Amino acid sequence: LAQVARVTRALERAVMAPKPNPKAAPGGGEENWPELNMKLEIQIKVLKQQMFMRDEQIASCRKETAEGKKQCEHLDKSFAAEMETRREVTHEMGRQYMEMQESFNERITALQEDVAASKAEIEDVQRTAERTRIEKDDKINQQDEEIKTLTAKMESMAFEFADMLKSTLDKMSQRIEVTHSSWDRDAGKPPLMNRLKEFSLADDPASSG
C-alpha cells in the first residue's frame, strides 16, 4: 500500500508539472501531451480504485480481526467460567467422595468390630457348651458310678440280710424244737403260742382283733 501511494503521488506530480518546450525535446520531435495526460489520469484512477479496494479490504480485515478478538475474549471468558465451574464441581465431587470414603471406612470398621465381637461371643458360647457337656458327662459318669456302687451295696446287703434271716430262722427253728420237746415233758409251762410271741413269729389275737 505504501508503494501504491508513492506511485500515485509521483503520477500526480508528473501530471501537474509544466509541459516541456517542444524545441528542447531531444530529437526535435513533439510529444502528444493530451493523450499522455489522459493515460496518466486513467492510471491514477485505476490506482485510486485499487487503493480504495485495498482500504476496504483492510477495514474488513480489521473488522474481522476485531470480531475475532471479541470472539476469542468471549471464548476465553467462557473457558475460564467453564474451568471455574468444573473446578467447583470437581472440588465438590472430591469432597463428597472423601466423605463417602470416610463413612464407608467407619462402617467397615464398625462391622469388623461387630464380627470380631460375634466371633468372640460364639467362641465363648462354644467353650461354655463344651465345658457344660464335659461337666454333664462327668456328672453322668459319677452318677453311674454311684448307681453301680449303691446297686452293689444293695446286692451285698440283700445277701447279708438273707444270710442273717436264714441264720435267725435256723436258730428259731432249733429253739422251737427244743421248746416243743420240753413242753411235751413239762405240762406246766406256757403254751407254744405264748413262747412264739417272744420271737414275734405270731400275732397277738387281742391286737389283731
Side-chain angles (χ1 to χ4, degrees), residues 140-185:
I140 290 173
N141 293 329
Q142 183 179 0
Q143 290 177 351
D144 289 339
E145 292 296 328
E146 291 179 358
I147 291 171
K148 290 179 181 179
T149 303
L150 292 174
T151 302
K153 286 183 178 181
M154 290 176 64
E155 291 178 354
S156 177
M157 290 175 65
F159 284 120
E160 291 178 358
F161 180 77
D163 292 338
M164 290 174 63
L165 182 61
K166 183 176 182 301
S167 177
T168 302
L169 290 174
D170 291 339
K171 290 179 179 180
M172 289 178 67
S173 297
Q174 292 176 2
R175 292 183 68 178
I176 290 171
E177 290 178 357
V178 172
T179 303
H180 183 67
S181 60
S182 62
W183 180 73
D184 290 339
R185 291 191 303 268

Side-chain angles (χ1 to χ4, degrees), residues 8-51:
T8 303
R9 285 194 296 271
L11 291 174
E12 289 178 349
R13 284 196 299 271
V15 172
M16 299 301 294
K19 296 180 180 179
N21 189 0
K23 294 181 178 179
E30 186 176 355
E31 293 288 343
N32 189 358
W33 292 104
E35 184 178 356
L36 180 59
N37 190 19
M38 186 179 296
K39 289 180 180 181
L40 292 174
E41 288 179 357
I42 292 172
Q43 290 180 0
I44 290 171
K45 289 181 180 181
V46 171
L47 291 174
K48 286 182 176 181
Q49 185 67 26
Q50 292 177 354
M51 288 179 66

Side-chain angles (χ1 to χ4, degrees), residues 111-122:
L111 290 175
Q112 288 176 347
E113 292 177 355
D114 291 341
V115 170
S118 298
K119 287 183 178 179
E121 185 176 358
I122 291 171

